[in-house]
Amino acid sequence: MAAVATNPTAPSPARQRKERLDRGIKVRSEDIYALNSWRELTYLLAPRVFPVILVLLLGFSAPLYWQRVLLSTMVFGLLAISWDLLAQAGMVCLGQALFFGVGAYIAGILNHYFGLSPFVTIPLGALGGGVFCTLLLLPVLRLRGIYFAMVTLILPLMIERIIEATKIFGGTEGISGLDPLPHHALELFLIMAAFWIALFGFRRMMTSDYGLVLKGINDNDRAVMSAGLNIYRYKAQILFMAGATGAFAGAFMTHAYQFVGMPVFALDYSILPIASAAVGGLGTLAGPALGAFILVPLSELLRGFGGLRIVIYAVLLVVFTVGLPEGVFHFLRRKYTQFERWAEVSK
Amino acid sequence: MLTGYLIYGLINSVVLVLVALGFNLTFGISGVANFAFGALYVTAGFLAWIGLNTLSLPYWVSAPLAVLITAVLAGLLYRVVVLRVRGLVVSEVIATFGVGLALLELFRFLGFIGFEYTLPDAGDFSLSLLGVLVDSQRLLIVAMGAALTAFLWLFTRYTTTGRAFRAIAQDEHTALTLGINTERTATIAVAFGAGYAAIAALVILPLGTIAVNEGYNVLVNALAVCIVGGLGSTLGVIVASFLIGTAQTLTAAYLGTHWMMIVSLVAILLILLVRPSGLFGSHKQLEERI
């Protein structure tokens, strides 16, 4: 009472604070005993299985046009996952188009000049793209933060210029008339499989000891070095993984559109993955993938605005980075695993 | 022939100096990443064009106004966007890059593309240097380059604000303890750098048209010069500009203009391999980079 008397103007909410606690079911389903109960098992599986089934149903029931949209959504989703994978190891890439474009060109060249089937060119494009990008970026792996970002920003622009200048691989015209994948359903199934494998596989990897080292490189690379680990080896490995994921997306897109040309190095492929990551929430892999599922269909709806699309991505990118750094995924996960309540502030 | 290339290489170098000075001031000297730099450069050009043609203002009103508005815009960019993510390097880069991208692509969307977007040049006067004709606009560029470099050098050494710029890059906390308002200083630094970009735009753009893609090229060139020269070093900017500028002109002359942009990348890669802190960089930057 004395406190109230001395400070009578203080409103009651000022003496309360919001606290967040884990939901009981989240705690109960954390260990092996979750297998005991259907409820807890459902709680665990629902956020993982439900999206897979939803996308599968939507994908195969939608009209052809929206199937294509879903296809490019997943391709951008793969790029976003690849971006986040790099970012989690402390490498901010402003030129995801590099991976995408290299994969696309490798698949296109193998198909056009050597007549290989898409089932050979796509894996080769992914692997070759990963190797090529890793070798290309090997000299700058020692760079951190802004400096790595700068170099990756410049690289796709440069490759675009080189292709334009030397007129190799079709020059500005590109290569068209490439072999498509045999069936639309197969195409869709393939990209879905790749998407979910990349998402769940890399997520699992990041929770392993190996992933811990990668996160360590992001947080404090000196500490990791002083633990006797060669961080450049880890960085090269993660670069290969991210590069191969991005290159796979590119190689797949080449055959889906039956065309490869200079637009594969365009800004869209660099900026949309970053925007997806910013909207979805960094550092979870699922967040950027979710971001792609928000942004790509949105941009399809905004198709009428044409060039304004990149402006919208850029504005969203800034708004989310500056104003809502948490992102959609973190928000959803918080709501799913925790509840909030007002608690009295003890004196 | 070679004398001609060398003289034009020299002029191209001064163009690079002009472009890189502002970026170096913001990023190198004050330590604030401003990836919207290229966009601000182009914005200044379009603002001057709008002032001259749409509002029919005289040049001596429109040009300073464009510089002023660009500087204020950059200051606002810092206050509204960068300040909220200050210290988170990645977010700084992404946010400023996003703003620059939005600006540039907005110009493209609004239809600012074409040959009618030119700024007036300095007139039909030309001078013969060693048998090579150099027009007045290029002479103006060289003069402006020298003047702005000298001004920046003096400013960062002999004025309180200029020394505060360097202080916040060296150690922000120590600067705070010495009574420097770091946020205000950084705002001024960003605005100042953008002002430099605007002046550079006003003297360089009359050589060609104001193109949206110029924004990306300017950013890449400025980055290249700053990385090669060593961040924060004005001497480094000058030396690196002369190296890259001459190399670019010779490349354009002997290999073709398409290869010009590749020079910047090769320069960046080489310097990062051989001497990561840049030609005139200090050891501290080395630690930040690798």
Side-chain angles (χ1 to χ4, degrees):
Chain A
M1 279 310 282
V4 175
T6 51
N7 190 5
T9 53
S12 97
R15 308 215 281 120
Q16 288 188 321
R17 68 184 169 85
K18 219 172 195 180
E19 70 175 4
R20 291 194 189 115
L21 292 173
D22 278 0
R23 291 181 194 278
I25 190 160
K26 191 232 168 199
V27 181
R28 284 197 303 279
S29 55
E30 260 170 359
D31 55 23
I32 188 74
Y33 299 107
L35 291 174
N36 273 340
S37 138
W38 275 111
R39 255 191 75 184
E40 279 140 38
L41 213 54
T42 317
Y43 179 82
L44 270 185
L45 285 178
R48 292 161 176 88
V49 177
F50 180 66
V52 180
I53 295 175
L54 185 72
V55 169
L56 205 65
L57 288 179
L58 274 180
F60 286 98
S61 64
L64 189 62
Y65 175 75
W66 285 99
Q67 277 189 8
R68 303 300 281 182
V69 174
L70 186 70
L71 204 109
S72 67
T73 305
M74 300 216 136
V75 164
F76 278 112
L78 276 175
L79 277 177
I81 289 172
S82 135
W83 185 88
D84 201 31
L85 199 60
L86 274 183
Q88 284 197 53
M91 293 183 274
V92 180
C93 179
L94 291 183
Q96 213 64 28
L98 174 71
F99 305 151
F100 185 85
V102 168
Y105 260 99
I106 291 179
I109 291 162
L110 287 177
N111 183 253
H112 183 76
Y113 294 104
F114 299 95
L116 297 176
S117 103
F119 293 104
V120 184
T121 62
I122 292 179
L124 278 183
L127 286 178
V131 171
F132 181 84
C133 294
T134 311
L135 290 179
L136 197 63
L137 287 171
L138 216 49
V140 293
L141 266 195
R142 302 175 68 85
L143 298 178
R144 298 193 297 203
I146 292 186
Y147 301 93
F148 186 82
M150 287 175 181
V151 174
T152 50
L153 169 69
I154 296 168
L155 274 172
L157 295 174
M158 291 294 154
I159 294 190
E160 208 179 334
R161 295 285 158 83
I162 293 177
I163 291 175
E164 196 184 336
T166 55
K167 300 189 175 57
I168 43 169
F169 313 135
T172 47
E173 303 279 304
I175 310 169
S176 48
L178 298 171
D179 294 340
L181 283 156
H183 198 269
H184 276 311
L186 180 74
E187 204 172 38
L188 202 56
F189 191 74
L190 188 69
I191 191 71
M192 277 185 194
F195 178 81
W196 295 117
I197 289 172
L199 179 58
F200 290 121
F202 285 135
R203 261 178 81 86
R204 194 178 173 89
M205 187 185 82
M206 290 313 290
T207 56
S208 67
D209 285 1
Y210 183 80
L212 205 61
V213 176
L214 297 179
K215 283 181 181 157
I217 293 175
N218 184 24
D219 293 337
N220 189 341
D221 50 355
R222 304 262 161 117
V224 179
M225 278 161 106
S226 61
L229 296 165
N230 182 355
I231 62 165
Y232 303 114
R233 238 178 88 175
Y234 280 94
K235 278 186 169 185
Q237 287 167 358
I238 203 73
L239 196 57
F240 172 75
M241 287 183 228
T245 311
F248 174 86
F252 179 83
M253 207 64 164
T254 296
H255 285 293
Y257 285 159
Q258 301 173 41
F259 165 78
V260 63
M262 279 169 36
V264 292
F265 289 108
L267 216 49
D268 283 57
Y269 296 105
S270 296
I271 199 71
L272 211 143
I274 310 178
S276 302
V279 171
L282 302 170
T284 52
L285 297 176
L290 182 66
F293 269 89
I294 297 170
L295 284 189
V296 180
L298 183 75
S299 85
E300 212 49 52
L301 294 173
L302 298 174
R303 187 157 279 279
F305 291 97
L308 205 57
R309 234 171 47 229
I310 294 191
V311 180
I312 293 169
Y313 297 153
V315 169
L316 278 177
L317 183 60
V318 176
V319 167
F320 270 87
T321 311
V322 174
L324 307 158
E326 186 182 47
V328 177
F329 182 76
H330 288 286
F331 174 80
L332 290 178
R333 184 168 66 178
R334 204 179 69 219
K335 291 288 170 208
Y336 194 71
T337 58
Q338 295 182 320
F339 65 90
E340 290 169 352
R341 67 175 181 200
W342 289 102
E344 290 289 322
V345 180
S346 54
K347 281 193 277 294
Chain B
M1 229 17 203
L2 190 65
T3 4
Y5 290 147
L6 284 180
I7 285 179
Y8 273 82
L10 207 69
I11 293 163
N12 188 28
S13 309
V14 182
V15 168
L16 287 184
V17 171
L18 272 173
V19 162
L21 272 180
F23 190 74
N24 189 46
L25 172 65
T26 314
F27 185 49
I29 297 179
S30 309
V32 185
N34 182 5
F35 273 56
F37 186 78
L40 291 169
Y41 174 91
V42 173
T43 307
F46 281 128
L47 282 175
W49 188 89
I50 291 170
L52 281 174
N53 297 308
T54 313
L55 307 176
S56 346
L57 295 170
Y59 188 79
W60 58 269
V61 176
S62 171
L65 209 59
V67 174
L68 196 71
I69 295 176
T70 313
V72 170
L73 270 181
L76 277 178
L77 165 74
Y78 182 81
R79 279 278 151 179
V80 178
V81 176
V82 183
L83 200 57
R84 287 158 208 268
V85 289
R86 184 97 165 93
L88 304 166
V89 174
V90 173
S91 301
E92 275 183 24
V93 173
I94 294 179
T96 52
F97 185 61
V99 171
L101 201 66
L103 261 178
L104 283 176
E105 296 301 323
L106 192 66
F107 279 126
R108 202 196 296 280
F109 175 71
L110 294 177
F112 283 96
I113 303 165
F115 293 108
E116 72 268 30
Y117 296 102
T118 51
L119 292 176
D121 61 14
D124 286 336
F125 168 75
S126 60
L127 200 69
S128 175
L129 283 175
L130 301 170
V132 184
L133 272 183
V134 180
D135 57 273
S136 54
Q137 188 62 36
R138 289 189 165 80
L139 291 174
L140 179 67
I141 287 175
V142 175
M144 266 322 234
L148 287 183
T149 313
F151 179 72
L152 184 63
W153 195 83
L154 292 172
F155 188 80
T156 51
R157 261 163 196 74
Y158 297 107
T159 64
T160 318
T161 318
R163 280 144 68 111
F165 286 173
R166 290 197 291 152
I168 60 167
Q170 279 165 14
D171 196 315
E172 198 165 334
H173 290 117
T174 312
L176 269 171
T177 63
L178 292 173
I180 295 170
N181 184 343
T182 55
E183 284 175 6
R184 202 174 66 201
T185 311
T187 313
I188 298 172
V190 174
F192 211 91
Y196 258 66
I199 296 174
L202 291 179
V203 292
I204 295 169
L205 286 174
L207 292 180
T209 56
I210 316 172
V212 171
N213 282 340
E214 199 58 26
Y216 299 109
N217 293 345
V218 161
L219 182 62
V220 170
N221 279 333
L223 277 174
V225 168
C226 287
I227 293 182
V228 172
L231 288 173
S233 157
T234 310
L235 182 65
V237 166
I238 296 169
V239 174
S241 297
F242 279 97
L243 286 176
I244 297 177
T246 318
Q248 275 185 345
T249 310
L250 291 179
T251 312
Y254 291 108
L255 286 177
T257 45
H258 284 306
W259 293 96
M260 246 174 93
M261 287 296 288
I262 294 160
V263 174
S264 326
L265 179 76
V266 172
I268 292 179
L269 289 182
L270 277 182
I271 203 77
L272 290 176
L273 277 175
V274 181
R275 212 185 129 80
S277 62
L279 292 174
F280 293 90
S282 57
H283 187 70
K284 181 169 174 269
Q285 291 155 18
L286 200 66
E287 279 179 7
E288 284 165 5
R289 286 182 195 192
I290 61 178

